[in-house]
């Protein structure tokens, strides 16, 4: 792993720890709000999408029949990853908040701390391998006469 890859891998957890540190700022501080909102909107999802990146990129996007945009596949994959990042982050926030509410331990600091720890854990996870491409030749059933 190159130093650049390590830096990119550790950006989401760093954002979480930065958001936790920003809680020390006064309550109405725009910097505090921006750090927390940016992390909650993209941090956990970015770490999860990085883990799944090879599997997501295994099959290219299929565009419309008439191709007007030569970069359709690249733009489509980028949009897919961006949307997955946002939706996985929002899902993680909702799931953690719901669990903390159900256990009567809900607080904003606990949600942020839990998500930061989960994001840090996801940053240390290895990436998933892409599944092999589908076979073109049909398989014969076991015991057939072919």
């Amino acid at each position: 792993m190159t130093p650049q890859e390590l830096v990119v891998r550790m950006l989401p957890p760093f954002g979480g720890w930065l958001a936790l540190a920003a809680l020390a700022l006064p309550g109405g501080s725009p910097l505090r709000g921006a750090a927390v909102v940016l992390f909650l909107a993209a941090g956990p999802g970015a770490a999860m999408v990085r883990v799944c990146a090879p599997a997501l990129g295994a099959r290219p996007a299929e565009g419309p029949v008439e191709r007007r945009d030569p970069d359709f596949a690249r733009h489509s994959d980028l949009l897919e990853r961006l949307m997955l990042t946002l939706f996985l982050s929002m899902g993680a926030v909702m799931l953690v908040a719901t669990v903390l509410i159900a256990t009567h331990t809900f607080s904003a600091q606990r949600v942020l701390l839990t998500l930061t720890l989960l994001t840090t854990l996801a940053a240390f996870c290895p990436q998933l391998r892409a599944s092999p491409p589908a076979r073109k030749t049909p398989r014969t059933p076991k015991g057939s006469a072919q």
Side-chain angles (χ1 to χ4, degrees):
M1 177 183 313
T2 65
Q4 184 181 10
E5 290 172 346
L6 183 64
V7 167
V8 170
R9 187 179 204 174
M10 290 298 149
L11 275 177
F14 178 72
W17 294 110
L18 187 68
L20 278 170
L23 293 179
L25 295 172
S29 171
L31 187 59
R32 175 181 177 171
V36 171
V37 168
L38 282 174
F39 172 70
L40 292 179
M48 288 185 267
V49 168
R50 188 209 56 86
V51 170
C52 301
L56 291 172
R59 291 177 180 80
E62 294 180 20
V65 176
E66 58 182 56
R67 291 204 176 231
R68 294 184 185 173
D69 184 10
D71 294 328
F72 174 81
R74 185 173 56 87
H75 292 168
S76 178
D77 289 342
L78 183 63
L79 182 62
E80 174 187 9
R81 289 179 190 215
L82 177 66
M83 289 293 105
L84 272 173
T85 298
L86 293 175
F87 289 138
L88 285 173
S89 289
M90 290 299 106
V93 169
M94 298 307 277
L95 186 65
V96 167
T98 302
V99 167
L100 290 177
I101 288 171
T103 59
H104 303 288
T105 57
F106 178 80
S107 74
Q109 291 85 2
R110 286 189 182 127
V111 170
L112 194 57
L113 178 63
T114 304
L115 286 169
T116 301
L117 291 173
L118 290 174
T119 302
T120 304
L121 181 66
F124 287 114
C125 288
Q127 289 184 325
L128 297 176
R129 288 189 219 140
S131 60
R135 294 176 59 159
K136 299 290 182 191
T137 58
R139 273 187 138 168
T140 57
K142 191 174 182 177
S144 67
Q146 289 184 338

